[in-house]
Coordinates of all heavy atoms in Angstrom, one line a residue:
M1 N 94.1 32.2 -46.1 CA 93.3 31.4 -45.1 C 92.7 30.2 -45.9 O 92.1 30.4 -47.0 CB 92.2 32.2 -44.4 CG 91.2 32.7 -45.4 SD 90.2 34.1 -44.6 CE 91.2 35.5 -45.0
S2 N 92.8 29.1 -45.4 CA 92.2 27.9 -46.1 C 91.0 27.4 -45.4 O 90.8 27.6 -44.2 CB 93.3 26.8 -46.2 OG 93.4 26.2 -44.9
K3 N 90.2 26.6 -46.1 CA 89.0 26.0 -45.5 C 89.5 25.1 -44.3 O 88.8 25.0 -43.3 CB 88.4 25.0 -46.5 CG 87.5 25.7 -47.5 CD 86.8 24.6 -48.3 CE 86.8 25.0 -49.8 NZ 86.2 23.9 -50.6
H4 N 90.6 24.5 -44.5 CA 91.1 23.6 -43.5 C 91.3 24.3 -42.1 O 90.9 23.8 -41.1 CB 92.4 23.0 -43.9 CG 92.5 21.5 -43.8 ND1 91.9 20.7 -44.6 CD2 93.0 20.8 -42.8 CE1 92.1 19.4 -44.2 NE2 92.7 19.5 -43.1
N5 N 92.0 25.5 -42.2 CA 92.2 26.2 -41.0 C 90.9 26.6 -40.3 O 90.8 26.6 -39.1 CB 93.0 27.5 -41.3 CG 94.5 27.1 -41.5 OD1 94.9 26.1 -41.1 ND2 95.2 28.0 -42.1
C6 N 89.9 27.0 -41.2 CA 88.6 27.4 -40.6 C 88.0 26.2 -39.9 O 87.5 26.4 -38.8 CB 87.7 27.9 -41.7 SG 88.1 29.5 -42.3
Q7 N 88.0 25.1 -40.5 CA 87.3 23.9 -39.9 C 88.1 23.6 -38.6 O 87.4 23.3 -37.6 CB 87.4 22.7 -40.8 CG 86.3 22.8 -41.9 CD 86.2 21.6 -42.7 OE1 87.2 20.9 -42.9 NE2 85.1 21.3 -43.2
D8 N 89.4 23.7 -38.7 CA 90.2 23.4 -37.5 C 89.8 24.3 -36.4 O 89.6 23.9 -35.2 CB 91.6 23.5 -37.9 CG 92.5 22.7 -36.9 OD1 92.1 21.6 -36.5 OD2 93.6 23.2 -36.5
A9 N 89.8 25.6 -36.7 CA 89.6 26.6 -35.7 C 88.2 26.4 -35.1 O 88.1 26.5 -33.8 CB 89.7 28.0 -36.3
V10 N 87.2 26.3 -35.9 CA 85.9 26.1 -35.4 C 85.7 24.9 -34.6 O 85.1 24.9 -33.5 CB 84.9 26.2 -36.6 CG1 83.5 25.8 -36.1 CG2 84.9 27.5 -37.2
A11 N 86.3 23.8 -35.1 CA 86.2 22.5 -34.3 C 86.8 22.6 -33.0 O 86.4 21.9 -32.0 CB 86.9 21.4 -35.2
Q12 N 87.8 23.5 -32.8 CA 88.5 23.6 -31.5 C 87.9 24.6 -30.6 O 88.3 24.7 -29.4 CB 90.0 24.0 -31.8 CG 90.7 23.1 -32.7 CD 91.3 21.9 -32.0 OE1 91.1 21.7 -30.8 NE2 92.0 21.0 -32.7
V13 N 86.9 25.4 -31.1 CA 86.4 26.5 -30.3 C 85.8 26.0 -28.9 O 86.1 26.6 -27.9 CB 85.3 27.2 -31.1 CG1 84.4 28.0 -30.1 CG2 85.9 28.1 -32.1
Y14 N 85.2 24.9 -29.0 CA 84.6 24.3 -27.7 C 85.7 24.0 -26.7 O 85.6 24.3 -25.5 CB 83.8 23.1 -28.0 CG 82.4 23.4 -28.6 CD1 82.2 23.0 -29.9 CD2 81.4 24.0 -27.9 CE1 81.0 23.3 -30.5 CE2 80.2 24.3 -28.5 CZ 80.0 23.9 -29.8 OH 78.8 24.2 -30.4
F15 N 86.7 23.4 -27.2 CA 87.8 23.0 -26.3 C 88.5 24.3 -25.8 O 89.0 24.4 -24.7 CB 88.8 22.1 -27.0 CG 88.2 20.9 -27.5 CD1 88.0 20.6 -28.9 CD2 87.8 19.9 -26.6 CE1 87.4 19.5 -29.3 CE2 87.1 18.8 -27.0 CZ 86.9 18.5 -28.4
Y16 N 88.6 25.3 -26.7 CA 89.3 26.5 -26.4 C 88.5 27.2 -25.3 O 89.1 27.6 -24.3 CB 89.2 27.4 -27.6 CG 90.0 28.7 -27.5 CD1 91.3 28.9 -28.0 CD2 89.5 29.8 -26.7 CE1 92.0 30.1 -27.9 CE2 90.2 31.0 -26.6 CZ 91.4 31.1 -27.2 OH 92.1 32.3 -27.0
L17 N 87.2 27.2 -25.4 CA 86.4 27.9 -24.4 C 86.4 27.1 -23.1 O 86.2 27.7 -22.0 CB 84.9 28.0 -24.9 CG 84.8 28.9 -26.1 CD1 83.4 28.8 -26.6 CD2 85.0 30.4 -25.7
D18 N 86.6 25.8 -23.2 CA 86.7 25.0 -22.0 C 88.1 24.8 -21.4 O 88.3 24.1 -20.4 CB 86.1 23.6 -22.3 CG 84.6 23.6 -22.2 OD1 84.1 24.5 -21.6 OD2 84.0 22.6 -22.7
D19 N 89.0 25.5 -22.1 CA 90.4 25.4 -21.6 C 90.9 24.0 -21.6 O 91.7 23.6 -20.7 CB 90.5 26.0 -20.1 CG 91.1 27.3 -20.1 OD1 91.9 27.6 -21.0 OD2 90.7 28.1 -19.3
E20 N 90.5 23.2 -22.6 CA 90.9 21.8 -22.6 C 92.0 21.6 -23.6 O 92.5 20.5 -23.8 CB 89.7 21.0 -23.0 CG 88.8 20.8 -21.9 CD 87.5 20.1 -22.3 OE1 87.4 19.6 -23.4 OE2 86.6 20.0 -21.5
I21 N 92.5 22.7 -24.2 CA 93.6 22.5 -25.2 C 94.9 23.3 -24.7 O 94.7 24.2 -23.8 CB 93.3 22.9 -26.6 CG1 92.9 24.4 -26.6 CG2 92.2 22.1 -27.2 CD1 92.7 24.9 -28.0
G22 N 96.0 22.9 -25.2 CA 97.2 23.5 -24.8 C 97.4 24.9 -25.4 O 96.7 25.3 -26.3
W23 N 98.4 25.6 -24.9 CA 98.7 27.0 -25.3 C 99.0 27.0 -26.8 O 98.7 28.0 -27.5 CB 99.8 27.6 -24.5 CG 101.1 26.9 -24.6 CD1 101.6 25.9 -23.9 CD2 102.1 27.2 -25.6 NE1 102.8 25.5 -24.4 CE2 103.2 26.3 -25.4 CE3 102.2 28.1 -26.7 CZ2 104.3 26.3 -26.2 CZ3 103.3 28.1 -27.5 CH2 104.4 27.2 -27.3
F24 N 99.7 26.0 -27.3 CA 100.1 26.0 -28.7 C 98.9 26.1 -29.6 O 98.8 26.9 -30.5 CB 101.0 24.8 -29.0 CG 101.5 24.8 -30.4 CD1 102.5 25.6 -30.8 CD2 100.9 23.9 -31.3 CE1 103.0 25.5 -32.1 CE2 101.3 23.9 -32.7 CZ 102.4 24.7 -33.0
K25 N 97.9 25.2 -29.3 CA 96.7 25.2 -30.2 C 95.9 26.5 -30.0 O 95.4 27.0 -30.9 CB 95.9 24.0 -29.8 CG 96.3 22.7 -30.4 CD 95.3 21.6 -30.2 CE 95.7 20.4 -31.0 NZ 94.8 19.2 -30.8
K26 N 95.9 27.0 -28.8 CA 95.2 28.2 -28.5 C 95.8 29.3 -29.4 O 95.1 30.1 -30.0 CB 95.3 28.6 -27.1 CG 94.2 28.0 -26.2 CD 94.1 28.7 -24.9 CE 93.0 28.2 -24.1 NZ 92.7 28.9 -22.8
A27 N 97.1 29.4 -29.4 CA 97.8 30.4 -30.1 C 97.5 30.3 -31.6 O 97.3 31.3 -32.3 CB 99.3 30.3 -29.9
R28 N 97.4 29.1 -32.1 CA 97.1 28.8 -33.5 C 95.7 29.3 -33.8 O 95.5 29.9 -34.8 CB 97.2 27.3 -33.8 CG 98.3 27.0 -34.8 CD 98.3 25.5 -35.0 NE 97.3 25.1 -36.0 CZ 96.9 23.8 -36.1 NH1 97.4 22.9 -35.3 NH2 96.0 23.5 -37.0
I29 N 94.8 29.0 -32.9 CA 93.4 29.4 -33.2 C 93.3 30.9 -33.1 O 92.7 31.6 -34.0 CB 92.5 28.8 -32.1 CG1 92.4 27.3 -32.3 CG2 91.1 29.4 -32.2 CD1 91.7 26.6 -31.2
K30 N 93.9 31.5 -32.1 CA 93.9 33.0 -32.0 C 94.5 33.6 -33.3 O 93.9 34.6 -33.8 CB 94.8 33.4 -30.8 CG 93.9 33.6 -29.6 CD 94.7 34.4 -28.5 CE 93.8 34.7 -27.3 NZ 94.6 35.2 -26.2
R31 N 95.6 33.1 -33.8 CA 96.2 33.6 -35.0 C 95.2 33.6 -36.1 O 95.1 34.5 -36.9 CB 97.5 32.9 -35.3 CG 98.5 33.7 -36.0 CD 99.8 33.0 -36.1 NE 99.7 31.7 -36.7 CZ 100.4 30.6 -36.3 NH1 101.2 30.7 -35.3 NH2 100.3 29.5 -36.9
H32 N 94.5 32.4 -36.2 CA 93.6 32.3 -37.3 C 92.4 33.2 -37.2 O 92.0 33.9 -38.2 CB 93.0 30.8 -37.4 CG 92.0 30.6 -38.4 ND1 92.4 30.4 -39.7 CD2 90.7 30.6 -38.4 CE1 91.3 30.3 -40.5 NE2 90.2 30.4 -39.7
L33 N 91.9 33.4 -36.0 CA 90.8 34.3 -35.8 C 91.1 35.7 -36.2 O 90.3 36.5 -36.7 CB 90.3 34.3 -34.3 CG 89.8 32.9 -33.8 CD1 89.5 33.0 -32.3 CD2 88.5 32.5 -34.6
K34 N 92.4 36.1 -35.9 CA 92.8 37.5 -36.2 C 92.7 37.8 -37.7 O 92.4 38.9 -38.1 CB 94.2 37.7 -35.7 CG 94.3 38.3 -34.3 CD 95.7 38.8 -34.0 CE 95.7 39.4 -32.6 NZ 97.1 39.7 -32.2
K35 N 93.0 36.8 -38.5 CA 93.1 37.1 -39.9 C 91.8 36.5 -40.7 O 91.8 36.5 -41.9 CB 94.4 36.6 -40.5 CG 94.5 35.1 -40.4 CD 95.9 34.6 -41.0 CE 96.0 33.1 -40.8 NZ 97.2 32.6 -41.4
C36 N 90.9 36.0 -39.9 CA 89.7 35.4 -40.5 C 88.5 35.9 -39.9 O 88.0 35.3 -38.9 CB 89.8 33.9 -40.5 SG 88.6 33.1 -41.4
P37 N 87.9 37.1 -40.3 CA 86.8 37.7 -39.7 C 85.6 36.8 -39.6 O 84.9 36.8 -38.5 CB 86.4 38.9 -40.7 CG 87.7 39.2 -41.3 CD 88.5 37.9 -41.4
P38 N 85.2 35.9 -40.5 CA 84.1 35.0 -40.3 C 84.3 34.1 -39.1 O 83.3 33.9 -38.4 CB 84.1 34.2 -41.6 CG 84.8 35.0 -42.6 CD 85.8 35.8 -41.9
C39 N 85.5 33.6 -38.9 CA 85.7 32.8 -37.8 C 85.8 33.6 -36.5 O 85.3 33.1 -35.5 CB 87.1 32.0 -37.9 SG 87.0 30.6 -39.0
E40 N 86.3 34.8 -36.6 CA 86.3 35.6 -35.4 C 84.9 35.9 -34.9 O 84.6 35.9 -33.7 CB 87.1 36.9 -35.7 CG 87.4 37.6 -34.4 CD 88.2 38.9 -34.7 OE1 88.0 39.5 -35.8 OE2 88.9 39.4 -33.8
G41 N 84.0 36.3 -35.9 CA 82.6 36.5 -35.6 C 82.0 35.3 -35.0 O 81.3 35.3 -34.0
A42 N 82.3 34.1 -35.6 CA 81.8 32.9 -35.1 C 82.2 32.6 -33.7 O 81.5 32.0 -32.9 CB 82.1 31.7 -36.1
F43 N 83.4 33.0 -33.4 CA 84.0 32.7 -32.1 C 83.2 33.4 -31.0 O 82.9 32.9 -30.0 CB 85.5 33.1 -32.1 CG 86.2 32.7 -30.8 CD1 86.5 31.4 -30.6 CD2 86.4 33.6 -29.8 CE1 87.2 31.0 -29.5 CE2 87.1 33.2 -28.7 CZ 87.4 31.9 -28.5
G44 N 82.9 34.7 -31.3 CA 82.2 35.5 -30.3 C 80.8 34.9 -30.2 O 80.2 34.7 -29.1
F45 N 80.2 34.6 -31.4 CA 78.9 34.0 -31.5 C 78.9 32.7 -30.7 O 78.0 32.4 -29.9 CB 78.6 33.7 -32.9 CG 77.4 32.9 -33.2 CD1 76.1 33.4 -33.2 CD2 77.5 31.5 -33.6 CE1 75.0 32.7 -33.4 CE2 76.4 30.8 -33.9 CZ 75.1 31.4 -33.8
E46 N 79.9 31.9 -30.8 CA 80.0 30.6 -30.2 C 80.2 30.8 -28.7 O 79.6 30.0 -27.9 CB 81.2 29.9 -30.8 CG 81.3 28.4 -30.4 CD 80.1 27.6 -30.9 OE1 79.3 28.2 -31.7 OE2 80.1 26.5 -30.6
S47 N 80.9 31.8 -28.3 CA 81.1 32.0 -26.8 C 79.7 32.2 -26.2 O 79.4 31.7 -25.1 CB 82.0 33.2 -26.6 OG 83.2 33.1 -27.2
H48 N 78.9 33.0 -26.9 CA 77.6 33.3 -26.4 C 76.8 32.1 -26.4 O 76.1 31.8 -25.4 CB 77.0 34.3 -27.4 CG 75.6 34.7 -27.0 ND1 75.3 35.5 -25.9 CD2 74.4 34.5 -27.6 CE1 74.0 35.7 -25.9 NE2 73.4 35.1 -26.9
L49 N 76.8 31.3 -27.5 CA 76.0 30.1 -27.5 C 76.5 29.1 -26.4 O 75.6 28.5 -25.8 CB 76.3 29.4 -28.9 CG 75.3 29.5 -30.0 CD1 75.6 28.6 -31.1 CD2 73.9 29.1 -29.5
K50 N 77.7 29.0 -26.3 CA 78.3 28.1 -25.3 C 77.8 28.4 -23.9 O 77.4 27.5 -23.2 CB 79.8 28.2 -25.4 CG 80.5 27.3 -24.4 CD 80.7 25.9 -24.9 CE 81.4 25.1 -23.8 NZ 81.7 23.8 -24.3
A51 N 77.8 29.7 -23.6 CA 77.3 30.1 -22.3 C 75.8 29.7 -22.1 O 75.4 29.2 -21.1 CB 77.5 31.6 -22.1
M52 N 75.1 29.9 -23.2 CA 73.7 29.5 -23.1 C 73.5 28.0 -23.0 O 72.7 27.5 -22.1 CB 73.0 29.9 -24.4 CG 72.5 31.3 -24.4 SD 72.0 31.9 -26.1 CE 71.1 30.4 -26.6
V53 N 74.3 27.3 -23.8 CA 74.2 25.8 -23.7 C 74.6 25.3 -22.4 O 74.0 24.4 -21.8 CB 75.1 25.2 -24.8 CG1 75.3 23.7 -24.6 CG2 74.5 25.4 -26.2
R54 N 75.7 25.9 -21.9 CA 76.2 25.4 -20.6 C 75.2 25.7 -19.5 O 74.9 24.8 -18.6 CB 77.5 26.2 -20.3 CG 78.1 25.8 -19.0 CD 79.4 26.6 -18.7 NE 80.5 26.0 -19.4 CZ 81.6 26.6 -19.7 NH1 81.6 27.9 -19.6 NH2 82.6 26.0 -20.3
E55 N 74.5 26.8 -19.6 CA 73.5 27.1 -18.6 C 72.4 26.2 -18.6 O 71.9 25.7 -17.6 CB 73.0 28.5 -18.9 CG 72.9 29.4 -17.7 CD 72.6 30.8 -18.1 OE1 71.4 31.1 -18.4 OE2 73.5 31.7 -18.1
R56 N 71.9 25.8 -19.8 CA 70.7 25.0 -20.0 C 71.0 23.5 -19.8 O 70.2 22.8 -19.3 CB 70.1 25.3 -21.3 CG 69.4 26.6 -21.4 CD 68.9 27.0 -22.8 NE 68.2 25.9 -23.4 CZ 67.9 25.8 -24.7 NH1 68.2 26.8 -25.5 NH2 67.2 24.8 -25.1
L57 N 72.1 23.1 -20.3 CA 72.4 21.6 -20.4 C 73.5 21.2 -19.5 O 73.5 20.0 -19.1 CB 72.7 21.2 -21.8 CG 71.6 21.6 -22.9 CD1 72.1 21.4 -24.3 CD2 70.3 20.8 -22.6
R58 N 74.5 22.0 -19.3 CA 75.6 21.6 -18.5 C 76.3 20.3 -19.0 O 76.6 19.4 -18.2 CB 75.2 21.5 -17.0 CG 74.8 22.8 -16.5 CD 74.5 22.7 -15.0 NE 74.0 24.0 -14.5 CZ 74.7 25.0 -14.2 NH1 76.0 25.0 -14.4 NH2 74.2 26.2 -13.8
E59 N 76.3 20.2 -20.3 CA 77.0 19.0 -20.9 C 77.6 19.4 -22.3 O 77.7 20.5 -22.6 CB 76.1 17.9 -20.9 CG 74.8 18.1 -21.8 CD 73.8 17.0 -21.6 OE1 73.7 16.5 -20.5 OE2 73.2 16.6 -22.6
E60 N 77.8 18.4 -23.0 CA 78.5 18.6 -24.4 C 77.5 19.4 -25.3 O 76.3 19.3 -25.2 CB 78.8 17.2 -25.0 CG 79.9 16.5 -24.4 CD 81.2 17.3 -24.4 OE1 81.6 17.7 -25.5 OE2 81.7 17.7 -23.3
P61 N 78.2 20.1 -26.2 CA 77.4 20.9 -27.2 C 76.5 19.9 -28.0 O 77.0 18.8 -28.4 CB 78.4 21.6 -28.0 CG 79.7 21.3 -27.4 CD 79.6 20.3 -26.3
Q62 N 75.4 20.4 -28.4 CA 74.5 19.6 -29.2 C 74.8 19.8 -30.7 O 75.3 20.8 -31.1 CB 73.0 20.0 -29.0 CG 72.6 19.9 -27.5 CD 72.7 18.5 -27.0 OE1 72.0 17.6 -27.5 NE2 73.6 18.2 -26.1
P63 N 74.5 18.8 -31.5 CA 74.7 18.9 -33.0 C 74.1 20.1 -33.6 O 74.7 20.7 -34.5 CB 74.1 17.6 -33.5 CG 74.1 16.6 -32.4 CD 73.9 17.5 -31.1
E64 N 72.9 20.5 -33.1 CA 72.2 21.6 -33.8 C 73.0 22.9 -33.5 O 72.8 23.8 -34.3 CB 70.8 21.7 -33.3 CG 70.7 22.1 -31.8 CD 69.9 21.0 -31.0 OE1 70.1 19.8 -31.3 OE2 69.1 21.4 -30.2
V65 N 73.8 22.9 -32.5 CA 74.6 24.1 -32.2 C 75.6 24.3 -33.3 O 75.8 25.3 -33.8 CB 75.3 24.0 -30.8 CG1 76.2 25.2 -30.7 CG2 74.2 24.0 -29.7
M66 N 76.2 23.1 -33.7 CA 77.2 23.2 -34.8 C 76.5 23.5 -36.1 O 77.1 24.2 -36.9 CB 77.9 21.8 -34.9 CG 78.9 21.5 -33.8 SD 80.1 22.8 -33.6 CE 81.2 22.5 -35.1
D67 N 75.3 23.0 -36.3 CA 74.5 23.4 -37.5 C 74.3 24.9 -37.6 O 74.4 25.5 -38.6 CB 73.2 22.7 -37.5 CG 73.4 21.2 -37.9 OD1 74.5 20.8 -38.3 OD2 72.4 20.4 -37.6
R68 N 73.9 25.5 -36.4 CA 73.7 26.9 -36.4 C 75.0 27.7 -36.7 O 75.0 28.7 -37.4 CB 73.2 27.3 -35.0 CG 71.7 27.0 -34.9 CD 71.2 27.4 -33.5 NE 71.2 28.9 -33.3 CZ 70.8 29.4 -32.2 NH1 70.4 28.7 -31.2 NH2 70.9 30.7 -32.0
L69 N 76.1 27.1 -36.1 CA 77.4 27.8 -36.4 C 77.7 27.7 -37.9 O 78.2 28.7 -38.4 CB 78.4 27.0 -35.5 CG 79.9 27.5 -35.7 CD1 79.9 29.0 -35.3 CD2 80.8 26.7 -34.8
R70 N 77.5 26.5 -38.5 CA 77.8 26.4 -39.9 C 76.9 27.4 -40.7 O 77.4 28.0 -41.6 CB 77.4 25.0 -40.4 CG 78.6 24.1 -40.2 CD 78.4 22.8 -40.9 NE 79.2 21.8 -40.3 CZ 78.8 20.9 -39.4 NH1 77.6 20.9 -39.0 NH2 79.7 20.1 -38.9
A71 N 75.7 27.5 -40.3 CA 74.8 28.4 -41.1 C 75.3 29.9 -40.9 O 75.3 30.6 -41.8 CB 73.4 28.3 -40.5
Y72 N 75.8 30.2 -39.7 CA 76.3 31.5 -39.4 C 77.5 31.8 -40.3 O 77.6 32.8 -40.9 CB 76.6 31.6 -38.0 CG 77.3 32.9 -37.6 CD1 76.5 34.0 -37.2 CD2 78.7 33.1 -37.6 CE1 77.1 35.2 -36.9 CE2 79.2 34.3 -37.3 CZ 78.4 35.4 -36.9 OH 79.0 36.5 -36.6
L73 N 78.4 30.8 -40.4 CA 79.6 31.0 -41.1 C 79.3 31.1 -42.6 O 79.9 31.9 -43.3 CB 80.6 29.9 -40.9 CG 81.2 29.9 -39.5 CD1 82.0 28.6 -39.4 CD2 82.2 31.1 -39.4
K74 N 78.3 30.4 -43.1 CA 77.9 30.4 -44.5 C 77.4 31.8 -44.8 O 77.7 32.4 -45.8 CB 76.8 29.4 -44.7 CG 76.8 28.8 -46.1 CD 75.8 27.7 -46.2 CE 75.3 27.5 -47.6 NZ 74.1 26.7 -47.7
D75 N 76.6 32.4 -43.9 CA 76.0 33.7 -44.1 C 77.1 34.8 -44.1 O 77.0 35.8 -44.7 CB 75.0 34.1 -43.0 CG 73.7 33.3 -43.1 OD1 73.5 32.7 -44.2 OD2 73.0 33.3 -42.2
N76 N 78.2 34.4 -43.5 CA 79.3 35.4 -43.4 C 80.4 35.1 -44.3 O 81.5 35.7 -44.2 CB 79.8 35.5 -41.9 CG 78.8 36.2 -41.0 OD1 78.9 37.4 -41.0 ND2 77.9 35.5 -40.4
G77 N 80.2 34.3 -45.3 CA 81.1 34.1 -46.4 C 82.2 33.1 -46.2 O 83.1 33.1 -47.0
S78 N 82.1 32.3 -45.2 CA 83.1 31.3 -45.0 C 82.8 30.0 -45.8 O 81.6 29.8 -46.1 CB 83.2 30.9 -43.5 OG 84.0 29.7 -43.4
D79 N 83.8 29.3 -46.1 CA 83.6 28.0 -46.9 C 83.4 26.9 -45.9 O 83.2 25.7 -46.4 CB 84.9 27.7 -47.7 CG 84.9 28.6 -48.9 OD1 83.9 29.0 -49.4 OD2 86.0 28.8 -49.4
F80 N 83.3 27.1 -44.7 CA 83.2 26.0 -43.7 C 81.9 25.2 -44.0 O 80.8 25.8 -44.2 CB 83.1 26.6 -42.3 CG 83.0 25.6 -41.2 CD1 84.0 24.7 -40.9 CD2 81.8 25.4 -40.6 CE1 83.9 23.8 -39.9 CE2 81.6 24.4 -39.6 CZ 82.7 23.6 -39.3
G81 N 82.0 23.9 -43.9 CA 80.9 23.1 -44.0 C 80.5 22.7 -45.5 O 79.6 21.9 -45.7
R82 N 81.3 23.2 -46.4 CA 81.1 22.8 -47.8 C 81.6 21.4 -48.1 O 82.6 21.0 -47.6 CB 81.7 23.8 -48.7 CG 80.7 24.6 -49.5 CD 81.4 25.4 -50.5 NE 80.9 26.8 -50.4 CZ 81.4 27.8 -51.1 NH1 82.5 27.6 -51.9 NH2 80.9 29.0 -51.0
Ligands
ZN101 ZN1 88.5 30.9 -40.6

């Protein structure tokens, strides 16, 4: 797993959750999540966050949400955000 894939997967999570990307990208992200526990954890974390954000703001994710996600990944041993 490379940093690149992690960044890509995380960057696409919002679109994934919003069903804004095609099946090919979804499959790619899913494949990455399967072999990358930090990202998989972040994905669940992100789903939760996203639901909260959507409820409260009903608009685009805020930058601090991404910061929290980065912090989470860092705590879980990912190279994301370096
Ligand atoms: Zn990853």
Side-chain angles (χ1 to χ4, degrees):
M1 65 196 85
S2 75
K3 278 188 224 178
H4 227 80
N5 283 341
C6 284
Q7 282 189 330
D8 200 41
V10 170
Q12 305 274 5
V13 161
Y14 286 110
F15 300 111
Y16 187 103
L17 294 172
D18 275 343
D19 257 330
E20 283 172 9
I21 58 174
W23 64 268
F24 182 77
K25 278 189 174 177
K26 273 195 176 186
R28 241 179 84 200
I29 292 170
K30 264 193 173 171
R31 207 168 58 217
H32 179 79
L33 293 177
K34 265 194 181 169
K35 59 180 183 179
C36 188
C39 279
E40 195 180 24
F43 187 76
F45 171 78
E46 190 67 3
S47 303
H48 180 68
L49 259 187
K50 176 87 182 185
M52 277 169 42
V53 167
R54 181 180 275 155
E55 224 172 77
R56 285 172 50 190
L57 303 171
R58 295 181 185 284
E59 59 189 38
E60 287 303 299
Q62 304 297 295
E64 68 239 37
V65 173
M66 285 306 286
D67 286 345
R68 282 179 66 181
L69 178 58
R70 272 193 202 96
Y72 176 88
L73 287 173
K74 211 173 154 196
D75 288 347
N76 284 274
S78 167
D79 284 333
F80 180 71
R82 247 187 228 171

